[in-house]
Amino acid sequence: MSLTITLIGGPTALIEFDGFRLLTDPTFDHPGAYKLPHVTLEKLVGPAISAAQVGAVDAVLLSHDQHSDNLDNSGRDFLRHAPRTLTTIAGARRLGGDVEGLAPWDSTELTGKDGHALTITATPARHGPAGIEPLSGDVIGFVLSSNAPGSRPVYITGDTVWFDGVAEVARRFPAGVVLPFAGAAQTRGPFHLTMDTNDTIETARAFPDATIVPVHTDGWAHFKQTAGDLRASFDTLGFGARLRILEPGVRTLIQPIASS
């Protein structure tokens, strides 16, 4: 299994997995404010590397398009040059063009050289507490399953809290690496729209031998917890060795924990 991840900022990461290059939730704008219909989001930190430095990718994995911290103006430009973009069915309708919409548990495949293939499965996500769906809109995550010998699935949660849908992913896929969107986003009301430390701990317990690589933890004013909060929590509970905190802009080799 060959896996490197480069954190670009917020939810945006370049994943190089068994010969395929994938980009999550593209956000390449400089710091600034985004006025949405019900809230204003403020970006505090620009991308660690530019879209040009990312180069060509095989696909963009877009958890949702309706919030600027997951798809900003420069990110929309990036989609125009990507050979494939996978997102929600509602998002594909809004974005148009060749964007492909997936419902939870739908799958599609990327094919590479020498018979290599990557199956991408859309997974359930809930962008906040039960009942938030009419306000937050549809979101999906993704599981990446490679046919390379010895490879294990990689799970990207997308913007979600811990709920039954995430637990079902754990029942279906023995992921070796999990990327939780874990900044405890809070825009309206005293509730979180993405995973907080407790949710991330629940996710780590559900995938008991997975390496946990958090993204979506820093760079925006509405993120209420940081990667440092995750480090403190995991270390306190005695499984800090499973947590890999990425340094933005640094291409990092990620290895699953050896199964016992």
Side-chain angles (χ1 to χ4, degrees):
M1 178 173 177
S2 172
L3 176 65
T4 63
I5 302 176
T6 306
L7 177 62
I8 296 169
T12 310
L14 175 64
I15 300 172
E16 298 171 89
F17 182 30
D18 285 350
F20 295 92
R21 305 181 87 244
L22 307 145
L23 188 74
T24 62
D25 290 12
T27 55
F28 292 102
D29 285 353
H30 296 298
Y34 302 82
K35 187 171 179 56
L36 304 183
H38 303 290
V39 69
T40 296
L41 304 180
E42 183 182 2
K43 186 175 188 178
L44 304 176
V45 180
I49 62 176
S50 67
Q53 289 172 306
V54 169
V57 299
D58 295 293
V60 172
L61 307 178
L62 176 60
S63 68
H64 61 301
D65 68 299
Q66 63 266 32
H67 299 143
S68 303
D69 58 322
N70 296 85
L71 182 67
D72 61 14
N73 299 319
S74 299
R76 291 174 184 272
D77 291 339
F78 190 92
L79 297 187
R80 297 189 184 99
H81 304 287
R84 295 185 72 179
T85 296
L86 308 177
T87 191
T88 64
I89 291 174
R93 293 194 192 105
R94 284 188 293 264
L95 293 168
D98 296 327
V99 175
E100 303 167 53
L102 299 174
W105 312 123
D106 285 348
S107 293
T108 189
E109 189 172 271
L110 299 176
T111 55
K113 299 177 182 178
D114 303 322
H116 289 170
L118 190 70
T119 300
I120 302 173
T121 303
T123 58
R126 194 182 75 203
H127 202 359
I132 193 70
E133 294 86 351
L135 293 175
S136 64
D138 293 346
V139 181
I140 55 172
F142 302 93
V143 170
L144 315 178
S145 303
S146 169
N147 70 347
S151 190
R152 294 181 60 191
V154 174
Y155 173 38
I156 304 153
T157 69
D159 270 15
T160 187
V161 294
W162 167 263
F163 77 118
D164 290 346
V166 177
E168 183 61 25
V169 176
R171 287 188 284 268
R172 296 190 187 203
F173 295 95
V177 176
V178 176
L179 282 72
F181 284 36
Q186 182 177 317
T187 58
R188 291 181 295 169
F191 51 79
H192 293 151
L193 304 175
T194 58
M195 290 191 182
D196 58 15
T197 55
N198 287 5
D199 286 345
T200 308
I201 289 163
E202 293 283 1
T203 302
R205 292 295 192 187
F207 296 89
D209 63 348
T211 299
I212 308 300
V213 186
V215 298
H216 202 274
T217 62
D218 298 277
W220 291 78
H222 62 288
F223 293 179
K224 301 306 180 184
Q225 293 179 347
T226 67
D229 294 318
L230 287 170
R231 169 56 65 201
S233 299
F234 273 62
D235 286 350
T236 297
L237 293 175
F239 50 99
R242 295 179 54 200
L243 186 69
R244 290 296 306 273
I245 303 295
L246 300 178
E247 182 180 346
V250 177
R251 186 172 181 262
T252 304
L253 176 67
I254 306 295
Q255 295 179 324
I257 298 167
S259 299
S260 57

